[in-house]
Amino acid sequence: MEDSDEFWNLLLQDLNLPESETHDGSTEDTIGYRYLVTAQRKASEGEALTFNNRNKKTLLTYLREKDLALVVDDFHYMPEKVQREVIRSLKSEIFEGLCAILIAVPHRAFDAIGVEREMEGRFAHVEIPSWNKGELVEIPKKGFRALNVDVPHETQDVFSEEANGSPLLMQRFCGRLCDHYDIEETQSQSKTFNPSDETLKEIFEVVAKQFGLPTFQKLAKGPQSRAKRLDRMLLNSERSMDIYEAVLAAVANTGPKDKIHYNEIRDELRKILVETDLPQKHEVSSALGHMSGIAKDEIDGEPVVEWADDHLYLTDPFLMFYMRWNQRTLNQASGVNKG
């Protein structure tokens, strides 16, 4: 969204209002008319009322008087300038009682106050927690029941553990299980499937590589560079990594967590690289900044990573799962047990 005009045009479309309508002075049932005529615009016969992005007050008054809530998804996607323009346009109507719900990722939840301080007294932060294991397990419980398929509770519990609070991951695991056993529709007779540890490992590997690996590779590649990047030697190994690969490996070693401070990344880099090849803070920050830009400009959808104020934020459950699963595999291969 490059400017606020696009926002108001989208709102106009969602309200399904005409671009203009004529008031004949004799009826009150014309869409929203009795709510929209203001003191500055006295209705008269033949007067045309326009609904467009230049008449924001009309649209917002319509919402308020109709007791409709304005819900803005992905508010954090908007450039700061657009956020400020939208919030300033909403401010007066919010003070009059308009309900506006701004949905954003957790680390950008207070953008509305950041761009317009006067909103602080009219702003309430409601955090939506991740799904817990009990909620996640309802997905396979209800889904497999609908397919007339019985899968052990132990398998469902493993899925909920690996999903790490993401219903999307849980759905992918269940989908891969169905693919493995060629389950394409509700079974005519109840069937029981008890996947082995090897089958579960195969499911997780497929999900990790299919949905997390492509994103990881784009980040690990980094921006185009004319000069060859410096190879950094790994501890207790003859292998080397460039700074992007090393930073991502350090991030993975944190869990990965969804919010990671620079110092944590630095500590993990010390466990990965030889002392003489440790990057300086500005080098790490530069790499993370470039990856943040790649996530925003070159990867479709929600930016999977964001680097701000010495913190790295991870928002994509598939990327996090790939990093966790891949790092676990590497640790097992090297004899390291990190859970």
Side-chain angles (χ1 to χ4, degrees), residues 75-257:
F75 180 73
H76 56 283
Y77 265 168
M78 296 181 184
E80 185 175 320
K81 177 184 176 182
V82 178
Q83 287 182 341
R84 183 177 297 108
E85 291 174 356
V86 169
I87 290 296
R88 286 179 176 174
S89 297
L90 294 175
K91 184 170 62 177
S92 62
E93 288 299 324
I94 288 176
F95 288 168
E96 292 296 325
L98 173 67
C99 175
I101 301 171
L102 311 177
I103 302 175
V105 291
H107 64 280
R108 299 284 297 276
F110 293 91
D111 280 7
I113 295 177
V115 298
E116 188 59 46
R117 287 293 174 185
E118 291 182 28
M119 292 299 297
E120 189 166 354
R122 298 281 179 172
F123 179 89
H125 176 221
V126 179
E127 185 173 354
I128 301 175
S130 298
W131 288 41
N132 61 42
K133 294 178 183 177
E135 293 167 333
L136 286 169
V137 82
E138 288 296 315
I139 294 175
K141 185 184 298 184
K142 294 181 179 180
F144 290 136
R145 184 188 304 139
L147 290 169
N148 203 15
V149 167
D150 182 36
V151 175
H153 295 301
E154 292 78 8
T155 296
Q156 298 180 35
D157 290 340
V158 171
F159 281 175
S160 66
E161 180 72 30
E162 292 292 343
N164 199 34
S166 170
L168 297 177
L169 272 170
M170 175 60 93
Q171 290 169 347
R172 293 298 183 185
F173 298 155
C174 294
R176 288 304 309 174
L177 184 67
C178 290
D179 287 342
H180 180 81
Y181 291 113
D182 294 323
I183 304 169
E184 298 181 352
E185 59 187 4
T186 300
Q187 305 299 293
S188 58
Q189 294 182 336
S190 178
K191 293 184 179 180
T192 298
F193 298 99
N194 191 2
S196 64
D197 289 344
E198 190 63 32
T199 296
L200 294 179
K201 180 181 178 182
E202 177 186 327
I203 288 171
F204 295 141
E205 286 180 345
V206 169
V207 171
K209 291 179 180 179
Q210 186 174 359
F211 299 101
L213 177 59
T215 298
F216 179 88
Q217 289 176 326
K218 287 184 179 181
L219 298 176
K221 183 179 179 181
Q224 290 186 345
S225 176
R226 294 181 180 178
K228 186 179 183 299
R229 297 195 183 104
L230 176 67
D231 287 331
R232 301 172 190 271
M233 293 302 300
L234 301 177
L235 281 172
N236 305 317
S237 173
E238 295 182 357
R239 291 180 58 237
S240 63
M241 294 180 172
D242 70 16
I243 190 169
Y244 290 90
E245 296 169 315
V247 167
L248 286 173
V251 168
N253 272 346
T254 69
K257 299 192 297 185

Side-chain angles (χ1 to χ4, degrees), residues 23-78:
H23 181 56
D24 62 10
S26 62
T27 64
E28 289 188 344
D29 59 354
T30 306
I31 184 166
Y33 227 100
R34 54 183 170 176
Y35 301 101
L36 300 177
V37 177
T38 64
Q40 291 76 28
R41 292 195 54 168
K42 184 178 180 181
S44 61
E45 187 173 351
E47 179 184 3
L49 180 63
T50 58
F51 301 92
N52 55 47
N53 59 20
R54 294 177 299 280
N55 199 356
K56 307 176 184 71
K57 177 72 174 177
T58 302
L59 295 174
L60 296 176
T61 301
Y62 176 80
L63 286 171
R64 178 170 58 81
E65 295 291 349
K66 285 287 190 180
D67 198 25
L68 297 173
L70 173 63
V71 181
V72 183
D73 197 6
D74 293 330
F75 180 73
H76 56 283
Y77 265 168
M78 296 181 184

Side-chain angles (χ1 to χ4, degrees), residues 236-304:
N236 305 317
S237 173
E238 295 182 357
R239 291 180 58 237
S240 63
M241 294 180 172
D242 70 16
I243 190 169
Y244 290 90
E245 296 169 315
V247 167
L248 286 173
V251 168
N253 272 346
T254 69
K257 299 192 297 185
D258 56 3
K259 179 182 178 181
I260 313 167
H261 190 270
Y262 163 78
N263 290 337
E264 296 177 84
I265 299 175
R266 179 73 173 178
D267 289 343
E268 294 300 333
L269 282 169
R270 291 184 182 279
K271 301 174 185 178
I272 296 173
L273 302 175
V274 298
E275 184 70 26
T276 54
D277 281 351
L278 280 173
Q280 299 297 312
K281 180 174 182 178
H282 74 274
E283 294 177 303
V284 176
S285 296
S286 176
L288 290 168
H290 282 304
M291 283 192 277
S292 185
I294 291 170
K296 180 180 179 181
D297 300 329
E298 300 181 24
I299 299 176
D300 293 336
E302 175 80 37
V304 295

